[in-house]
Amino acid sequence: VRGGPTTPGSTSASSTAMTAATSAIPPPPLGGGPMSQYEDHNTNTNNNNSTLNSTPYLQSRLHQLRTQSSDLSSELTKKLATSRSGQSLLHIGPSLSTLPPDLSSLLEALSPLLKEVQVYESENRVELERLVTQGRVVQCTVRKRQFALECAEIYRDLCRAEEVLGKDAGWRMAEVIGGSKKKEKKRHDSMGEEEFDLSDDEDEDDEDEELDHATSLERAAYTTLHLLQELQSSSAEVSAITMGTSSSNTPKRNANSNEEDDDALNNTSNILPSLDDTSSMTSGVNGVIMEKSRFLMKLAPRIRRLESDTAKCLVGRLESLLIKVRHLMEDDESNTNRNDGQMGRENSNNKQQQHSQLLLQIASILRSLSILSRQSDAESSFARIAIMPIIRSKLSMGKLDEGGSRGECAGLYLVLEDIARSVGEMYGEVLRFGEGMFSYDNDATLEDTEGEESGKVVAAPPMEVDLVTCGVWVPIATALMADPGIKMAIFSPGIANVLQANYSALDTFLSELAGNLLTPPPSSTVGDTAMEEEKMSEELGDFSHLYYKPHITPQSIARAQSRLYSHPTTIDYYKRWNLPIYYQLRFAEFTKRLDTAIQCVQNEGWHSEKAYTGSELSAKKIRESLGFELPFFVELYDILLGMWSANVYLRPLTH
């Protein structure tokens, strides 16, 4: 090779190129031919071979191959970098270049180190398991102590509540005996005898003890609620533990169940023990929870019986207090007419103090029943003991027909007004206490009057104990709709004027009921006088002015009125009115007048005076205001005015 020394690589390349070039030379023709042509061709071939074997050509060719190899290598690297498997290959490549040539020597060198690591890990795992076991024991002991204290407190609360309920029977017996003594004292006082064992100081002590007893019953209600919540919580925890254990123990089988079981065993062996592991239901923290649950389940019958007995005691206590309020108000009315002067004022002050004590006790009992979700018991007791006696004494067919003929119900509005006035005077403070305690000022009030102007009833938020609606209105509506005679006379009299008068009277009564019952009476002591009286009472040791007093606002009355309208009894009450019959009666009445006027005009002409059947005063007003001269048109206009008169118009029939 010309132009430089030869190397093994270059010799091999040149020989290969030489062989390829020689094999590419065609053989000489067999048939002979001009020798000069063959020699020229051989000369050209030698020249080409010399060009291919030259150093510059080979160097340029080597440079091209290296460039092509570099491009292909970079392209391969890009493709490997964009794939997950390619990235793994890229990481493996450099590490393979660092491996020693003899792998067996490497394994022999690492085997002792690996064994020491395994021994170290096994020892640490054993120590960790020991520590976790001891930690679980400590956890169980701490939780067991905590649960033991809770169970002891629960049992003490249960015993105390049962003790309070046991004393309630003694209190009722004492009330019966005390009531007989008070009746005997009244009899002696009326006869002029002054000697009697029951003193005023004993009365005051009894009142304080009664208030303390009512407070004890309220605490018993709170205790009962707490015990019920504990029982429900314990049952929920046991259910959660049972469901969690059963789901963890349920095997999941499929086509590859054997392989999954092996993997699960391997994963389980690799999981480190932890204090948070609560898989065991019979041991550890779950076992303590189960033990507490078993204790509470043993107490469950006593807790349920305590709930029932507490509700019965509260209802009985509420009924007795309502009876006391009624007797106190009746005695106050009878004594007001007899006692005058200093003695009368002292009796009045004593009555006010007794009434305040009774109101506080009633408020405590109402809160207790609300705590136990026995609102319906409180409302039904108030309706049965306080309201129904008033309704029975004032509602009858004879009183409904007072001031009119039989069947006209001329005295309906007066009877209803008398009932509302009696309820307000006797139990108005109780109603205001209930409304103030259980009604909350919030955004769901009747501040926007759009609903009222459009005739729609805006529903007020529900109350826990609604004495105005369920305690007063429901028994009144039930009394009106239950008695067949009263129901027929009021809702279906068969006379248009009577039905319209009854509807208007009841509608007016219902619209004013909340205001009549809840509006507080005007206070006799206001401003500086009230502050001076409070200061003097504090100096004398009387702190009764610090007791709870309800604050009734116009918004409170509006919410109560809204609850009256939205109650199911009110909806049923409005459905009882036979308004289609009333419409037909009025329609027949007005069309009969118009037909009579038309017939008079046909028979006697336009100037017939018989065409008008109304009053002379109405005809005079129509002629003066509108200028009508013909009696027929005066009659027609009077008929149109009569449809909207106060004794004909009913709002539900308007469109």
Side-chain angles (χ1 to χ4, degrees):
V1 180
R2 295 177 297 175
T6 60
T7 61
S10 62
T11 304
S12 176
S14 61
S15 62
T16 303
M18 193 68 178
T19 304
T22 306
S23 62
I25 299 175
L30 297 177
M35 184 60 67
S36 59
Q37 184 178 2
Y38 181 78
E39 290 176 355
D40 293 338
H41 178 72
N42 193 14
T43 304
N44 293 332
T45 300
N46 292 331
N47 294 333
N48 290 334
N49 289 335
S50 62
T51 304
L52 292 173
N53 293 330
S54 63
T55 300
Y57 176 76
L58 293 175
Q59 290 179 350
S60 63
R61 184 62 178 169
L62 178 62
H63 180 70
Q64 292 178 358
L65 292 174
R66 287 179 176 174
T67 304
Q68 187 176 3
S69 175
S70 177
D71 295 339
L72 293 175
S73 176
S74 61
E75 184 177 356
L76 178 61
T77 303
K78 290 180 181 179
K79 290 183 178 180
L80 291 175
T82 56
S83 64
R84 185 172 298 177
S85 58
Q87 293 176 1
S88 300
L89 291 174
L90 290 176
H91 290 298
I92 292 173
S95 61
L96 291 176
S97 62
T98 60
L99 289 176
D102 190 1
L103 294 178
S104 60
S105 61
L106 178 62
L107 293 176
E108 292 177 358
L110 292 178
S111 294
L113 179 60
L114 294 176
K115 290 181 180 179
E116 292 179 1
V117 172
Q118 290 178 353
V119 171
Y120 178 75
E121 287 184 351
S122 62
E123 292 177 353
N124 285 344
R125 186 180 183 88
V126 171
E127 183 66 18
L128 179 61
E129 291 177 353
R130 187 185 67 81
L131 293 176
V132 169
T133 303
Q134 296 298 326
R136 288 177 180 174
V137 172
V138 173
Q139 272 188 346
C140 293
T141 305
V142 173
R143 187 64 65 88
K144 187 176 293 186
R145 178 183 179 276
Q146 179 183 355
F147 283 175
L149 293 176
E150 292 178 0
C151 291
E153 186 68 24
I154 289 172
Y155 188 73
R156 279 197 300 269
D157 292 341
L158 177 61
C159 294
R160 289 171 182 171
E162 290 176 344
E163 183 180 355
V164 170
L165 297 183
K167 289 181 179 179
D168 188 71
W171 272 98
R172 292 187 184 182
M173 184 63 65
E175 286 179 355
V176 174
I177 297 174
S180 62
K181 288 184 178 181
K182 289 180 181 179
K183 290 180 181 179
E184 186 70 16
K185 180 183 178 183
K186 291 179 182 178
R187 188 177 66 83
H188 281 264
D189 291 342
S190 62
M191 296 175 61
E193 301 179 7
E194 298 178 356
E195 295 181 357
F196 199 74
D197 296 332
L198 190 62
S199 62
D200 294 337
D201 295 336
E202 292 177 352
D203 289 341
E204 293 178 359
D205 295 339
D206 292 341
E207 291 173 2
D208 294 337
E209 290 180 0
E210 289 177 356
L211 184 58
D212 293 340
H213 181 62
T215 308
S216 299
L217 288 176
E218 186 174 2
R219 286 198 297 269
Y222 275 105
T223 300
T224 304
L225 177 63
H226 173 66
L227 295 176
L228 291 173
Q229 291 175 348
E230 285 287 343
L231 188 60
Q232 295 174 359
S233 176
S234 178
S235 301
E237 288 180 354
V238 172
S239 300
I241 292 173
T242 306
M243 293 178 62
T245 305
S246 61
S247 62
S248 62
N249 292 333
T250 302
K252 297 180 181 179
R253 298 290 180 181
N254 51 24
N256 300 325
S257 60
N258 294 330
E259 296 179 0
E260 291 182 356
D261 291 342
D262 295 338
D263 295 340
L265 290 174
N266 294 331
N267 293 333
T268 304
S269 62
N270 292 330
I271 295 176
L272 294 176
S274 174
L275 291 174
D276 298 331
D277 185 13
T278 58
S279 58
S280 177
M281 184 177 65
T282 58
S283 62
V285 177
N286 288 343
V288 179
I289 295 175
M290 295 293 293
E291 187 176 354
K292 178 184 177 183
S293 175
R294 286 191 293 269
F295 174 78
L296 290 176
M297 291 304 295
K298 292 180 180 179
L299 295 180
R302 292 179 62 180
I303 294 175
R304 298 298 182 186
R305 187 169 60 252
L306 176 66
E307 179 187 12
S308 177
D309 293 344
T310 304
K312 290 179 182 178
C313 290
L314 290 173
V315 171
R317 190 69 181 169
L318 177 62
E319 293 176 357
S320 65
L321 291 173
L322 292 175
I323 293 174
K324 287 182 179 181
V325 170
R326 185 175 67 215
H327 291 166
L328 184 65
M329 298 303 295
E330 291 174 353
D331 293 343
D332 191 16
E333 290 179 0
S334 61
N335 292 332
T336 301
N337 300 326
R338 291 185 303 174
N339 295 330
D340 295 327
Q342 185 67 23
M343 183 66 69
R345 285 193 294 271
E346 290 180 357
N347 291 332
S348 178
N349 293 332
N350 293 332
K351 295 293 183 182
Q352 289 181 359
Q353 292 179 0
Q354 295 177 14
H355 191 256
S356 300
Q357 294 286 333
L358 291 174
L359 288 177
L360 292 175
Q361 295 179 51
I362 292 174
S364 179
I365 299 301
L366 291 177
R367 289 194 300 268
S368 303
L369 290 171
S370 175
I371 290 168
L372 297 178
S373 300
R374 297 297 183 96
Q375 298 91 337
S376 59
D377 293 344
E379 295 164 352
S380 61
S381 298
F382 183 80
R384 185 178 65 257
I385 302 300
I387 306 303
M388 288 306 298
I390 297 176
I391 295 176
R392 294 192 199 99
S393 63
K394 297 184 179 297
L395 181 61
S396 63
M397 285 299 302
K399 293 185 178 181
L400 288 178
D401 293 333
E402 284 184 0
S405 60
R406 183 174 180 82
E408 290 185 357
C409 296
L412 176 61
Y413 183 76
L414 296 178
V415 170
L416 295 175
E417 190 178 20
D418 188 20
I419 292 174
R421 183 175 60 255
S422 299
V423 172
E425 291 176 355
M426 191 169 295
Y427 299 104
E429 289 293 336
V430 178
L431 295 173
R432 284 187 284 273
F433 260 76
E435 190 71 25
M437 286 189 301
F438 300 107
S439 179
Y440 306 101
D441 294 330
N442 49 27
D443 296 335
T445 57
L446 303 180
E447 293 179 355
D448 54 335
T449 57
E450 296 180 359
E452 295 178 356
E453 293 177 356
S454 61
K456 299 179 181 179
V457 178
V458 182
M463 268 190 19
E464 297 181 34
V465 179
D466 192 356
L467 296 180
V468 174
T469 302
C470 300
V472 178
W473 165 240
V474 170
I476 292 176
T478 303
L480 295 176
M481 295 185 293
D483 187 89
I486 295 177
K487 175 184 175 183
M488 182 64 66
I490 293 177
F491 296 98
S492 301
I495 303 174
N497 290 332
V498 175
L499 192 147
Q500 195 275 342
N502 293 343
Y503 185 93
S504 299
L506 277 167
D507 190 58
T508 303
F509 167 76
L510 181 59
S511 65
E512 298 174 353
L513 182 59
N516 293 334
L517 296 177
L518 297 178
T519 301
S523 178
S524 59
T525 56
V526 294
D528 297 336
T529 306
M531 295 179 64
E532 290 178 0
E533 291 183 357
E534 292 178 359
K535 187 175 180 180
M536 291 177 62
S537 62
E538 288 183 0
E539 293 177 354
L540 296 175
D542 182 14
F543 297 93
S544 59
H545 63 279
L546 299 177
Y547 292 157
Y548 170 76
K549 295 180 181 179
H551 179 62
I552 303 300
T553 62
Q555 290 77 16
S556 303
I557 298 176
R559 284 194 297 271
Q561 190 65 45
S562 177
R563 290 195 304 274
L564 287 172
Y565 282 126
S566 60
H567 195 269
T569 301
T570 308
I571 298 173
D572 181 48
Y573 151 78
Y574 276 112
K575 290 180 180 179
R576 297 298 180 96
W577 293 101
N578 204 346
L579 295 183
I581 298 298
Y582 175 76
Y583 175 81
Q584 294 294 333
L585 293 174
R586 289 300 186 185
F587 181 79
E589 176 185 346
F590 291 130
T591 54
K592 182 179 179 181
R593 287 182 60 184
L594 185 60
D595 291 340
T596 302
I598 293 174
Q599 188 175 3
C600 290
V601 171
Q602 289 177 348
N603 295 335
E604 302 179 7
W606 289 101
H607 295 280
S608 174
E609 296 294 336
K610 295 180 180 180
Y612 180 73
T613 58
S615 63
E616 293 295 334
L617 181 62
S618 177
K620 183 178 180 181
K621 290 181 179 180
I622 293 173
R623 287 191 176 95
E624 291 177 355
S625 60
L626 300 176
F628 289 153
E629 296 294 338
L630 297 178
F632 174 79
F633 292 103
V634 176
E635 176 74 2
L636 177 60
Y637 194 77
D638 187 62
I639 291 173
L640 296 177
L641 290 179
M643 294 180 182
W644 297 95
S645 61
N647 58 349
V648 174
Y649 164 79
L650 286 180
R651 183 171 52 84
L653 295 178
T654 59
H655 298 285

